[in-house]
Each structure stands twice: as structure tokens, then as C-alpha cells.
Amino acid sequence: MDDLIKKAAADLAAARYVVALTGAGISTESGIPPFRGKGGLWERFDPMEIAHIDAFMRDPAKVWNLLVKEMKKIVDSALPNDGHKGLVKLEEMGKLKTVITQNIDGLHQAAGNTDVIEFHGNFAWQRCMDCMRKYETSKVDVSVIPPRCDCGGILRPDAVFFGEMIPTDAMWRSRQAASACDLMLVVGTSAIVQPACLMPVYAKQSGAKVVEINPERTPLTGKFSDYLIMGKAGDVMNRIVAAMDKNEG
Ligand SMILES: [Zn+2]
């Protein structure tokens, strides 16, 4: 593992245009449970019942009560962890240009990354279904459900529900970034869901190195990623950044 940390530090030092692709694994250390897998929200709820746009349109109050309020509680109190902070350091070093994320928690922006592409929108904001005005989720009053805009319209998360399209500008920009980078860091995602799974492929096809930081092997491992550093995002990022500082000093 130490050798791979050194290798990643050297590869990052040599890279000029780094793009990071992140998923749920980078946010678990901030107390945000993944939707899928053990301990995930979908163990307790059927996503098609409460996270599908049709369910929301049918009964917004029900979806607010069962899902949105609970997520608001989790996201309102979550803070960026060392994984997010490591990506900010890479941006400050002039290496990292863009973060492409499947997460909706807004923690990359909270940490300080400036160019974040969100495939699934952002839960840190709610928007009015009538006039599109946006409200910060943490400031939305949930004493009356569903919460409403000043205009009377119902508020909904500014995130993508099941049954909704990935925003086209996010698709387009991420594809461009993936093709332009010379190193892609894949952090905390097995990248098995569309369109995230395509980004390492675009990067690889364009000649970029693809470096994975994940707790276990994924479908990318040995196929599209050059190597896998096994571990938790925060710990691995800390060690890579420390190795880069040491090389520079
Ligand atoms: Zn409104």
C-alpha cells in the first residue's frame, strides 16, 4: 500500500489536469449513509415508493415525511471529512480542475472545491415547483409538510428523483472533463451506475491514468483503472497529500 501511495503522489505530481469522480464512499465518513448496500436507506424503504418522481407528484407530503425530512436531518448536520479536504488540497496545488460527483450532499462545495458537477443534483437546495425559486434546505421550515414557497408552490429537493433525467449540462460537462483530463481519481464509488460508469472509460480512452481509491475491488479494477489503492477515502487522501508535500519539501 505504501508503494501505491508513493506512486499516486508521483502520478499526481506529474499530472496537469486531474478530474475526480466521487460517490457515496467519500461521504460515509461524514455520517451520510449510502442509499444502497448495508445500512442504506433502501434497506428500510422501497425507493420506487418514496424516491420516484411519480410518488412525489402523487403525494408530496408522504415523501417529505418519509424521506426528505430524514435526509434533511442528516445533510443539515454533515461536515466535509478528510476525503473532501484532500480534494480541496489537490485543487489548491493547481492539479484538480473538476469534481464529478454522484452525491447530493453538497459537501464538495462546502469543503471548498470550486467546480463540482452533480449528476444527481443537490439536496442542499430545495426549489419551488411553480416558480423555480430556490431555498437553502437547512433554512426550510418543516413544521408544515409539505413546505411551500412564498408563492404557494410546493418545495421539492433540487436533486434528481428516480424516474427523472440526469441534467444534460452535467452529462455534457462531465464527459468533456473526463476526456480532457490526464489523470482521473475515482474515489468511493464502484461506478456501476450510469452515467458515472462511463467517465473512467472516457478518461482511459483519451489516454488518462485512472487511479481508484476504494475499500474493495470494483468492476473498474484491472480493467479501466491503472491501480486500486484499497482503503477509506479520508485516510488514503491524507497519506497521498502528505507524500506529495514531502516530495515538494
Ligand atoms: Zn414559488
Side-chain angles (χ1 to χ4, degrees), residues 128 131 149 151 153:
C128 170
C131 74
C149 174
C151 84

PDB file of all heavy atoms in Angstrom, residues 128 131 149 151 153, ligand 1:
ATOM      1  N   CYS A 128     -38.918  25.592  -5.738  1.00  0.00           N
ATOM      2  CA  CYS A 128     -40.370  25.688  -5.846  1.00  0.00           C
ATOM      3  C   CYS A 128     -40.802  25.047  -7.163  1.00  0.00           C
ATOM      4  O   CYS A 128     -40.226  25.320  -8.209  1.00  0.00           O
ATOM      5  CB  CYS A 128     -40.803  27.149  -5.797  1.00  0.00           C
ATOM      6  SG  CYS A 128     -42.550  27.377  -6.204  1.00  0.00           S
ATOM      7  N   CYS A 131     -42.506  28.298  -9.286  1.00  0.00           N
ATOM      8  CA  CYS A 131     -41.751  29.450  -9.799  1.00  0.00           C
ATOM      9  C   CYS A 131     -40.244  29.192  -9.847  1.00  0.00           C
ATOM     10  O   CYS A 131     -39.483  30.068 -10.243  1.00  0.00           O
ATOM     11  CB  CYS A 131     -42.043  30.706  -8.972  1.00  0.00           C
ATOM     12  SG  CYS A 131     -41.257  30.718  -7.346  1.00  0.00           S
ATOM     13  N   CYS A 149     -43.237  27.484  -0.959  1.00  0.00           N
ATOM     14  CA  CYS A 149     -42.606  28.738  -1.374  1.00  0.00           C
ATOM     15  C   CYS A 149     -43.501  29.908  -0.969  1.00  0.00           C
ATOM     16  O   CYS A 149     -44.693  29.723  -0.715  1.00  0.00           O
ATOM     17  CB  CYS A 149     -42.447  28.679  -2.889  1.00  0.00           C
ATOM     18  SG  CYS A 149     -41.856  30.178  -3.684  1.00  0.00           S
ATOM     19  N   CYS A 151     -44.714  31.876  -2.878  1.00  0.00           N
ATOM     20  CA  CYS A 151     -45.757  31.965  -3.905  1.00  0.00           C
ATOM     21  C   CYS A 151     -46.836  30.906  -3.712  1.00  0.00           C
ATOM     22  O   CYS A 151     -47.836  30.896  -4.421  1.00  0.00           O
ATOM     23  CB  CYS A 151     -45.155  31.832  -5.313  1.00  0.00           C
ATOM     24  SG  CYS A 151     -44.896  30.127  -5.864  1.00  0.00           S
ATOM     25  N   GLY A 153     -46.285  27.602  -4.020  1.00  0.00           N
ATOM     26  CA  GLY A 153     -45.880  26.348  -4.663  1.00  0.00           C
ATOM     27  C   GLY A 153     -45.193  25.402  -3.671  1.00  0.00           C
ATOM     28  O   GLY A 153     -44.636  25.842  -2.662  1.00  0.00           O
TER      29      GLY A 153
HETATM   30 ZN    ZN B   1     -42.635  29.673  -5.840  1.00  0.00          ZN
END
